[in-house]
Amino acid sequence: MSSPTPQTAPFPVRVFGGPTALFEYGGLRFLTDPTFDGPGDHQAPAVVLTKTAAAAGSPADLGRVDVVLLSHDEHADNLDTSGRALLADVPLTLTTPGGGERLGQAATGLADWQSIELDRRDGVPGTVTVTGVPAIHGPGQREEVEPICGEVVGFVLTGEDLPTVYVSGDNASLDAVKEIAERFAPVDTALLFAGAPRFPDVFDGGLIVLDSAQAAQAAKILDAGRVVPVHYDSWAHFTEGRDELVAAFAAAGLADRVDFGVRG
């Protein structure tokens, strides 16, 4: 695996718990899957989602947010009540095609491989390109999974003299990761949603997002220079946490590639 080049040195990533992270890229400030509600239960179509810990910060702590990268809008562990309220103050939310229709005018849905160009805000002429990439929220083929867990999208960010960044969203498919790697590897920074979430009554307890070992495998597939794990704490249905991630990446010989970000 290659190492980041000087012009693609890692940038800070602030993590807030669950799938929520904030980073600056090309002068634009990106927030992933905003979840800032306190602990408690949220009813999903087939199960109850229980939040177990408060976020490491609040929307008021974020400062300016230019773009929300929302893997999907249908589950509270990716977009909760306070997250929805926050969207009203953000100029652009990128999400699934269905989510783009549900969330209204400030939201744009991206199909697989569909891109949008955004003007940079770092004083450098040019644009940041955000490309929607495949994600499958459960075991099996998309047509089997989406009727149960819904549509999900991942994102790849690129720009001239900028690092390549992958945000996986709630993806359980290494085949999808391979498709992304064919187009974009090596990836400089991968924000990988992990946590090995399972429900006994959904897909017979099968994984609906990557487990720790799969996250390490995804890092190898992507030839990722850095992995920032998210989506592994603060919710009861996550069955693996930081310790399992550390062990899995160490076993894969990738311990030096893991960056747990800056908390809050």
Side-chain angles (χ1 to χ4, degrees), residues 24 26-28 119-126:
E24 186 169 315
L28 294 163
D119 291 334
R120 293 174 65 156
R121 296 189 61 167
D122 56 359
V124 177

Side-chain angles (χ1 to χ4, degrees), residues 39-42 48-53 77 199 234-238:
D41 291 341
H42 298 261
V48 174
L49 306 174
T50 300
K51 190 169 188 179
T52 58
D77 60 324
F199 294 96
S234 305
W235 292 85
H237 55 290
F238 297 168

Side-chain angles (χ1 to χ4, degrees), residues 172-195:
S173 172
L174 288 175
D175 286 340
V177 174
K178 291 174 184 175
E179 288 185 57
I180 294 159
E182 288 172 0
R183 296 185 183 225
F184 292 103
V187 167
D188 295 271
T189 292
L191 276 71
L192 292 183
F193 288 38

